[in-house]
Amino acid sequence: SAVISQKPSRDICQRGTSLTIQCQVDSQVTMMFWYRQQPGQSLTLIATANQGSEATYESGFVIDKFPISRPNLTFSTLTVSNMSPEDSSIYLCSVFASGRLPARETQYFGPGTRLLVL
Amino acid sequence: GQNIDQPTEMTATEGAIVQINCTYQTSGFNGLFWYQQHAGEAPTFLSYNVLDGLEEKGRFSSFLSRSKGYSYLLLKELQMKDSASYLCAVTQIGGGYNKLIFGAGTRLAVHP
């Protein structure tokens, strides 16, 4: 398994400001994933962060709005830039951790960061 | 692209059995996950299927048919604490790594 922590756990921000969310994993992982979960909805993948290279963004998400850092194999940050009320959401960090069988990998989630933009 | 469908809501009675279906269309399929998510909490892993057939784990079982693009999660001996959202997610290979794409989730309400 993998233990994932996120900071902050929640925040209330003003429109136009930026917030950086930190994700720390207790083991080295190749890929780290950032998801968004808007109120009452399922999870949407924002981007995939690979250590030593630029993050890969999903359709509808851009680096200028959601810059990501991945300085080492246990840590990543996601910044939500120039926030608007539509960015109010839960932001979750996630990693794959190898299971017992080589063919099986389980994806684990951090506790999430609850963001409210006023 | 990908498309994952599951019912929006289901209700069931405590002690009963409920089956939550998931159909998917995706390229680069590499397995299907079921997650449980209680309100205000992060998703927690329930099951993973990559081969056809049934995987049983206690009160929960998950089935996969790759040829039909179909999976179900079976919950037996339902308890009130099973009231949660159940998320079907497909692992997709792309760019040399796996990524997980989620369906919209099924909100299950268990009542006495």
Side-chain angles (χ1 to χ4, degrees):
Chain A
S1 66
V3 177
I4 306 170
S5 59
Q6 285 184 233
K7 287 195 291 188
S9 59
R10 60 179 68 238
D11 208 342
I12 300 174
C13 301
Q14 294 298 319
R15 179 194 301 259
T17 62
S18 298
L19 175 72
T20 295
I21 302 168
Q22 299 179 8
C23 177
Q24 180 75 51
V25 188
D26 69 342
S27 58
Q28 294 185 338
V29 293
T30 306
M31 313 300 299
M32 295 179 77
F33 304 86
W34 286 98
Y35 285 84
R36 180 173 75 181
Q37 186 172 30
Q38 294 179 303
Q41 311 226 344
S42 190
L43 284 76
T44 302
L45 182 62
I46 298 172
T48 303
N50 190 6
Q51 194 268 334
S53 64
E54 274 199 7
T56 303
Y57 288 82
E58 297 298 306
S59 175
F61 298 96
V62 295
I63 188 171
D64 290 346
K65 175 67 176 177
F66 297 101
I68 287 173
S69 78
R70 183 79 203 277
N72 58 53
L73 291 173
T74 63
F75 185 79
S76 178
T77 67
L78 170 77
T79 299
V80 187
S81 303
N82 188 24
M83 288 184 285
S84 67
E86 292 71 35
D87 294 320
S88 297
S89 187
I90 301 172
Y91 292 85
L92 297 125
C93 171
S94 178
V95 303
F96 275 108
S98 295
R100 292 182 182 178
L101 300 177
R104 297 193 177 189
E105 292 191 339
T106 301
Q107 190 161 352
Y108 294 92
F109 288 84
T113 296
R114 286 157 182 76
L115 171 63
L116 176 63
V117 183
L118 302 177
Chain B
Q2 57 276 328
N3 191 39
I4 304 170
D5 290 314
Q6 50 182 131
T8 304
E9 291 184 352
M10 298 182 72
T11 60
T13 305
E14 193 175 16
I17 299 173
V18 70
Q19 177 174 311
I20 303 174
N21 296 324
C22 173
T23 58
Y24 64 89
Q25 290 178 307
T26 186
S27 57
F29 176 83
N30 196 35
L32 187 144
F33 287 81
W34 284 96
Y35 283 82
Q36 181 190 60
Q37 186 177 29
H38 285 99
E41 299 182 11
T44 55
F45 169 77
L46 288 179
S47 68
Y48 172 62
N49 295 68
V50 66
L51 301 175
D52 285 357
L54 187 68
E55 295 269 352
E56 297 186 78
K57 190 188 295 185
R59 293 190 300 115
F60 294 177
S61 304
S62 57
F63 171 82
L64 176 67
S65 169
R66 294 178 66 141
S67 61
K68 296 182 180 178
Y70 168 69
S71 173
Y72 67 73
L73 179 69
L74 192 71
L75 292 77
K76 304 176 186 175
E77 301 169 16
L78 280 172
Q79 302 174 10
M80 298 297 291
K81 67 178 182 179
D82 296 329
S83 294
S85 287
Y86 292 86
L87 309 176
C88 173
V90 171
T91 305
Q92 188 178 52
I93 299 175
Y97 61 89
N98 293 336
K99 59 182 180 181
L100 209 57
I101 308 300
F102 281 84
T106 299
R107 283 189 300 279
L108 173 66
V110 180
H111 54 83

